[in-house]
Amino acid sequence: MGDDHHHHDHSHVPPEPALRVQALESLLTRKGLVDPGALEAIIETYSNEVGPRNGARVVAHSWVDPDYRQWLLDDATAAIAHLGYQGRQGEHMVALENTDQVHNLVVCTLCSCYPWTVLGIPPTWYKSEAYRARAVREPRAVLEEFGVHLDDNTEVRLWDSTAEIRYLVIPQRPAGTEGWSEEALADLVTRDSMVGAGVARRPDDVGGAA
Amino acid sequence: MHSEEQPPFEAPWQAQAFALAVHLNERGAFTWSEWAEALGAQRRRSGEAGIADRPEQYYLDWLQALEYLLIQRDPATADELRAFREAWVAAYEATPHGHPVQLDKGFEVLAQPE
């Protein structure tokens, strides 16, 4: 292919997947099916704006406001939208409450369905085949590896996300946080705890009272 | 294995592939369930083929599923995708370093007789 005209100072040819994406984007743009400006906006949103801080605010609000907590459990889609977080794919949100009796853990066995609106892009482990398979087979062992040590009497409930239904786990509010501000509480809520693969940080973990 | 903070994408192409699927769904090219099915099927095929499940593999599967779904749904044909990819390579190779790379330059180069 054009070896006679080879330039040593030509532009660096991107790696194969980048070329394929570029081909796809330019083809669909020329067909009028894609708006490059909209693509930029989506990348910007998911790189910088949408992330687990959104979910942490939802959880912290549910910790301090019992009415909101009930609303979240009854109709998570609406309760979450009330705080300004709305799904792009029309997905239905379900909130799951962790208690001393029940620990909820979320997985997507099909691919990687995940509540983007409140948690952002899923972490690598959530998308891995190892997690998807083992969460179903041996959830307790997986939880141990994540540092979640459950009482033998605590029931583990596993929830399989789909394109239509995404789950948000409400971790238990840590002891010793009475009177904390919502903002300080939100700092205790980790991403993993909202998937069920973790628990909220304790006051000791963040340097005492807020 | 599970650090709390990771950048959502490891390379710009991953972010672009991600955004393309989200955007095309919003424009009605496919439903999100159809997308999840296509991605799930591709993830399964890669797993069955014994391909190591590195973080990058997820977005390679994502891209493959997107190409497959678009070819199946008509917005693109495999020939068109190949032609556009070839044109981009030609454009990069024909553009001096530091100058903007333009797709049409690639098509021009490819149209020239050897």
Side-chain angles (χ1 to χ4, degrees), chain A residues 9-12 16 20 22 26 30-31 35 88 110 112 121 125 127-129 146 164 166 191, chain B residues 2-4 18 23 26-27 32-33 40 43 53 58 67 75 80 85 88 92-93 95 97 104:
Chain A
D9 61 347
H10 65 63
S11 301
H12 173 70
E16 188 54 32
R20 282 163 59 195
Q22 212 168 0
S26 52
R30 288 194 176 193
K31 290 189 171 191
D35 169 9
R88 299 180 80 107
L110 174 65
S112 52
I121 305 289
W125 60 260
K127 300 179 292 196
S128 72
E129 203 184 334
F146 275 96
E164 289 94 13
R166 320 282 176 98
R191 178 196 61 208
Chain B
H2 23 80
S3 69
E4 186 68 19
F18 169 83
H23 182 54
E26 287 175 355
R27 287 222 158 172
W32 202 256
S33 296
R43 297 285 289 147
D53 193 22
Y58 176 77
E67 288 171 340
E80 285 173 326
R85 183 200 162 283
W88 275 114
Y92 278 101
E93 287 177 348
T95 306
H97 190 74
D104 285 332

Side-chain angles (χ1 to χ4, degrees), chain B residues 17-98:
Chain B
F18 169 83
L20 271 170
V22 172
H23 182 54
L24 286 162
N25 162 248
E26 287 175 355
R27 287 222 158 172
F30 42 76
T31 69
W32 202 256
S33 296
E34 288 164 343
W35 168 248
E37 282 295 329
L39 177 59
Q42 183 56 41
R43 297 285 289 147
R44 205 165 46 241
R45 275 193 293 274
S46 291
E48 284 165 2
I51 297 169
D53 193 22
R54 294 168 298 119
E56 188 193 44
Q57 189 56 42
Y58 176 77
Y59 281 106
L60 288 171
D61 286 338
W62 181 289
L63 175 56
Q64 185 90 34
L66 187 57
E67 288 171 340
Y68 174 79
L69 197 55
L70 291 169
I71 290 168
Q72 202 187 33
R73 290 304 176 88
D74 287 343
T77 68
D79 284 346
E80 285 173 326
L81 287 177
R82 259 192 303 275
F84 271 65
R85 183 200 162 283
E86 287 303 306
W88 275 114
V89 172
Y92 278 101
E93 287 177 348
T95 306
H97 190 74

